[in-house]
Amino acid sequence: MRTRLAICRNKKRFASEADAIAAAQAATIDLRPYLCDRCRQYHLTSRTKGKRRLPAAD
C-alpha cells in the first residue's frame, strides 16, 4: 500500500533505519519503522500487521 503524501508530510522523518529503531524503542507504545515510498526516508507506525518485530533493546 502506498503512503499518502499528506501522511508522509505530517510524520517525522529519520535518515537511517537505525535512527528510526532507536526512536521506536524509546517510545512508550509499540512502534515499527518502515521505509516510505514517497520520501525514501524512514517513518514510524503503530500498525503491526505485516511488519517486522524490533530487535530487543539492550
Side-chain angles (χ1 to χ4, degrees), residues 12-27 29-36 41-45 52 54-55:
K12 183 171 180 172
R13 293 181 177 133
F14 298 92
S16 72
E17 185 176 23
D19 291 341
I21 289 172
Q25 289 174 335
I29 61 172
D30 187 24
L31 295 173
R32 311 258 170 105
Y34 69 94
L35 183 61
C36 179
Q41 292 186 347
Y42 289 89
H43 297 299
L44 298 176
T45 185
R52 295 181 292 153
L54 289 177

Side-chain angles (χ1 to χ4, degrees), residues 39-57:
C39 67
R40 296 289 178 213
Q41 292 186 347
Y42 289 89
H43 297 299
L44 298 176
T45 185
S46 60
R47 292 190 176 190
T48 57
K49 186 175 181 178
K51 304 283 187 218
R52 295 181 292 153
R53 288 197 163 261
L54 289 177

